[in-house]
Amino acid sequence: MNTTEQFIKTYHIQTLRGTDDFKKEFSVHDWSAPVIQNPDQLNEYIHRIGLIGAAIQEVTTVSPPCLLPPVNHDSLTVEFDNVLVIITDRGAFEISYSESSSVCISKNRIPKRLYYKNENSSMDNLQLLFSYLKGDSITDISIKSQSFDEADFEFTGSFGIYLEENLPAYIKEFRLLLKSKRQLAFTSYFDWGVLSLLDEDGEFETLKSLDDVNHHCNCSKTCNSVEDVMESRNT
């Protein structure tokens, strides 16, 4: 029994019920990833599969990402409905957080032929965000929790999953802490995922120019939390 199977059995974790028998295109219904909704279990699982301590070599997505226009064109924050792949010296970690309090993570389950590679100008902010991550290392994880009622308000069940009842807490946001002191933040907005690059103070990284080669000379701050981005979409 591998690490993931043992974790699923120990905590009776629901999965996406697939067998990783992917055909020509990626389908979430073919994916076997566990669906983690409890903050403590997410923290344990992230450590179990070896993501903490991994050195990032490349970052991509599975299939063409469906992107929403950024709230702030200078902000390294993207809203999309897709699986993120963090390729490291310890393997490829596939992550999806586009359903309320339901984080799907697997390791080396999705074949490389399904990775998306395209120099599409509409992906500039996403590609730029990815470029900041290459060469960095993941040192820890922090998780923000919420109540069942808060999680249930945005829960859609779009993956054919359900929101577990009576958990001690539910996932609102999680951040991968990097050796560079930056933070890669994941949150959800109904059935969309939100990915943001934050500085060491937890504020959004922004750029004055996409052509900045030093990646730090032109940074400024515009928001204090991922929730600010969500609120600005509604005003």
Side-chain angles (χ1 to χ4, degrees):
M1 185 180 298
N2 64 34
T3 298
T4 299
E5 291 171 343
Q6 186 178 31
F7 176 82
I8 291 170
K9 183 176 181 180
T10 299
Y11 293 109
H12 307 287
I13 301 291
Q14 64 177 307
T15 72
L16 294 174
R17 298 186 295 279
T19 61
D20 301 322
D21 183 22
F22 300 101
K23 307 302 180 185
K24 292 183 178 181
E25 297 180 351
F26 174 80
S27 170
V28 71
H29 302 293
D30 294 329
W31 194 17
S32 68
V35 180
I36 305 171
Q37 298 175 336
N38 178 290
D40 289 341
Q41 291 172 1
L42 177 61
N43 181 66
E44 179 179 336
Y45 183 68
I46 286 288
H47 282 82
R48 275 198 187 199
I49 62 175
L51 184 55
I52 304 304
I56 301 171
Q57 299 172 338
E58 190 67 64
V59 185
T60 187
T61 63
V62 174
S63 305
C66 181
L67 297 168
L68 289 184
V71 175
N72 183 330
H73 287 278
D74 289 329
S75 175
L76 290 180
T77 297
V78 292
E79 196 172 341
F80 72 116
D81 183 9
N82 210 262
V83 178
L84 183 76
V85 184
I86 302 178
I87 302 166
T88 76
D89 60 338
R90 297 183 178 181
F93 297 88
E94 304 105 359
I95 305 173
S96 175
Y97 188 23
S98 56
E99 174 62 275
S100 178
S101 191
S102 302
V103 180
C104 303
I105 304 181
S106 63
K107 180 180 179 181
N108 297 329
R109 295 292 182 179
I110 300 175
K112 292 180 180 180
R113 61 181 171 80
L114 296 178
Y115 294 176
Y116 183 65
K117 294 183 179 180
N118 194 317
E119 301 299 326
N120 190 323
S121 62
S122 67
M123 293 177 59
D124 280 346
N125 270 25
L126 185 60
Q127 296 289 359
L128 183 60
L129 191 157
F130 289 172
S131 73
Y132 268 83
L133 302 174
K134 291 167 62 176
D136 216 330
S137 297
I138 301 167
T139 61
D140 208 347
I141 182 175
S142 68
I143 306 170
K144 182 177 180 180
S145 63
Q146 61 182 337
S147 68
F148 173 82
D149 288 342
E150 290 170 324
D152 188 51
F153 176 74
E154 291 190 1
F155 191 82
T156 68
S158 59
F159 285 173
I161 61 177
Y162 55 90
L163 188 63
E164 296 275 5
E165 296 185 15
N166 302 317
L167 293 178
Y170 295 81
I171 300 163
K172 174 65 176 177
E173 173 193 285
F174 71 96
R175 299 180 182 184
L176 298 179
L177 310 184
L178 306 176
K179 187 176 181 180
S180 65
K181 304 301 182 182
R182 292 191 176 98
Q183 306 169 33
L184 183 62
F186 296 77
T187 191
S188 65
Y189 184 60
F190 291 93
D191 56 359
W192 285 88
V194 182
L195 186 68
S196 305
L197 187 65
L198 312 178
D199 66 14
E200 62 180 310
D201 296 320
E203 297 185 339
F204 285 90
E205 292 276 23
T206 64
L207 288 180
K208 293 180 180 179
S209 170
L210 294 176
D211 296 325
D212 175 37
V213 295
N214 292 320
H215 289 272
H216 27 273
C217 296
N218 296 325
C219 290
S220 62
K221 286 81 178 175
T222 58
C223 303
N224 294 317
S225 70
V226 172
E227 285 85 347
D228 291 343
V229 173
M230 297 299 95
E231 289 176 5
S232 65
R233 294 199 68 88
N234 297 323
T235 58

